[in-house]
Amino acid sequence: EEPPEDHLAGTCRVIFEEQKRSRVGNGLVVPFTRDHPLVHVFELALNADRADCSGQMKMGVAEKAAAVRAGKALCRRLVDAALREEAAEAPEGEREAGVVTRLVALHALLIAEPKLSVSGNNQHYLIECLLPHLLYDQGAAAVTPEAKKADAEKLTCVLSVISSNISVADVLGDQVCHQLTQNLQRLIASHDYLSVVAKSCELLCRVSVFSKHTEDLLVKLAGGILDSLEDGPGAPTFLRRRLFVLGHLWRNGGAGTDASSGRGEVLRRTTAAIIRLLVDRDEGGSPRRRHGVDEPVAIEALRALGMVIHGDPKVALTEEATEMYELFLGRGSPAPLQVCALRGLTEMIRKEEDTMLEMQQDQLRKAGRRHSSSSSAATNQPLDSVCGEGEVSIAGTVLRYFWEKLILPLALHVEGSGAGPEEVNRANQPLKLASLELFDSVLRQGLVAPWTAVPALCAMCAFPSDLVCHEACRVLKTYILEKRVDFFESKLIDAMAALQDQALLCGTLNAGSPRRESGGGQEPPRDPAG
C-alpha cells in the first residue's frame, strides 16, 4: 500500500505538472506563492495563522496543535523519502523525478505553514539535509534547455524550503551559515536562471540576520556593484545582472544593513547610480531619457529602482524619483518602460497593504488571547480599515500625485490607433493589464476617490482583448457596482463617452456610428489621453 506522504506528494506533482503545461511562456512555475490554490488548501487544512479560518473551518487549540504535529511529521517523512530516493539504485531520471516530487510537496506545505519545518531540538534539520542540493558547478551543469529548467525548478524548491525553515528558526549554527553563504554566493554569481538568483538573494538576506560574516558580505556585494555602476556601465548583459542582484538585495533588506557603513549613504549611491543610467538633462535642465541606453537595460534599471522603493519607500518621495516616474509614465515613453513603472507603483502599494494586514492579524491574535472563547467569534472577523487610514501612507501620497496627471490618461491611451483590433491588442494589452493591476490595488485600499476610476474602467471594457475586458469588468463590479452604484451613476455620461472613444480608437466600433451630438454634427473620435 502506498504511504500517505507518497500519495500526497504524487498529487502535488500532478498539479505542478498540469500548471506547467497550461502556462504561457517558458518561465518557471515555482516557487509557489500564498495565492496558489494548492497552498491555500494546505493553509485551511492546517488552520495556519495567516489563513482566514472562521466558522466550521476554525479548529480548537487542541485540534490545531494536533494538525501542526501531524504536519511536522509529514514534512519529516517527505525529506527522509527524498533522501532515500537519492540513495536508491535506480536510473538517474527516475531517481531525480522521485526527489523533485517530494520537494514540490514539501515546498507547498511550508509556504502554507513555515513552522512545520521546525521539530525537536534541531531547528535546521531540513537545511542540513538539503544543503548538498545547493552545490552548483557551472561547468558540470545540465546542457539541454529542458534539463537546465528541471534543475532550476528543483533548486528553487530547495531554496524555498530552506527559506521557510530560516524564517521560523530561533538559531542557526555558524557552520550552517557559512555553508549557506558560500553556496548562495556562487548561485548569485553564476546561475543562468534569474528566478534562482532572486531566491538566492532573498535567502542570503535571511541568513545575514544570524551571521555577521554574511551581513558584511552583503554590504561588500552591494558596494562592489555600486562601484562598477559608478565607474562605467559596462557590457549590457553584466549590467542587467548587477542591477537585478542590487534590486533584490534592497527588496529583501540586505543592502546597506551594516550601520557602520551608513545605510543612508548606500541608499543615496544606489538611487543616484540607477537614475543616472536612466535620465539626463536637456539644455534647459529638464529630465529626459538617457540616449544610448538599451531598452532591456532601462527596464532592468527601472525594476531595480522599484525594488529599492519596496525596501525603503521614502525613496519614492524624493524629487529625483518623482521626476523619473513622471518621465516614464508619460506618453512619449516606450510601452515596456511604462508597464515597468506601473508595476513598480503596484508593488509599493501592495507592500503597504501586506504590512497593514499583518498588523491587523497581530491585533486579532492579541484580541483572541484577551477574550474568552464565548466572545471569540466577534474577534475572528477581519478588522475594518480606519476611515482615511490610507491618507497618511507613503504609497497613497505618491499614487495620488500621479493618479489624474498620468495614470488615468495612460489607462485611456491607445498606441497605434487605427491599425485594426488585432494590432492594437498586441501593442497595448500589457499596458492595459498593468494599469488594471494598479487599479485593483488602489481601489481595494481606497487610496483615491473611487468615482475617478469609473470612466477609465468602462473604457477598458471596450478593449479588444477578452483578458483585459474581463479584468476591467471584474474590477468595476467588485469595487464600484457592488459597493456604491451611485458613484457609477454620477460618472455615467463620462463613462459612456470614454467607452465609445476607446472603441473607436481600437477599431472595434465603426467611426460612422451615431455618437453624442455637438452642435448638430458628429464629434470626431479623439484620444482621451491627448
Side-chain angles (χ1 to χ4, degrees), residues 20 22 28 31 45 102-103 129 263 306 316 391 435:
K20 283 169 62 176
S22 61
L28 298 184
R102 272 72 178 187
L103 289 177
C129 291
R263 178 183 173 90
E391 296 299 319
S435 296

Side-chain angles (χ1 to χ4, degrees), residues 48 50 109-118 163-165 167-168:
R50 297 175 297 180
L109 278 165
L110 295 184
I111 291 293
E113 184 55 277
K115 67 175 66 172
L116 300 183
S117 60
V118 177
S163 183
S164 295
N165 194 165
S167 71
V168 294

Side-chain angles (χ1 to χ4, degrees), residues 380-426:
N380 287 330
Q381 301 303 316
L383 298 179
D384 290 330
S385 297
V386 177
C387 184
E389 184 172 18
E391 296 299 319
V392 297
S393 71
I394 291 176
T397 301
V398 173
L399 189 282
R400 282 188 294 276
Y401 177 79
F402 293 123
W403 182 248
E404 294 194 9
K405 183 179 181 181
L406 291 168
I407 294 172
L408 291 179
L410 192 57
L412 289 166
H413 175 59
V414 176
E415 189 68 34
S417 58
E422 290 185 7
E423 185 60 36
V424 166
N425 181 23
R426 191 161 40 249

Side-chain angles (χ1 to χ4, degrees), residues 3-21:
E5 64 269 20
D6 287 355
H7 182 70
L8 176 68
T11 303
C12 293
R13 183 65 186 271
V14 168
I15 294 171
F16 172 63
E17 293 297 333
E18 182 59 34
Q19 184 181 0
K20 283 169 62 176
R21 278 192 292 271

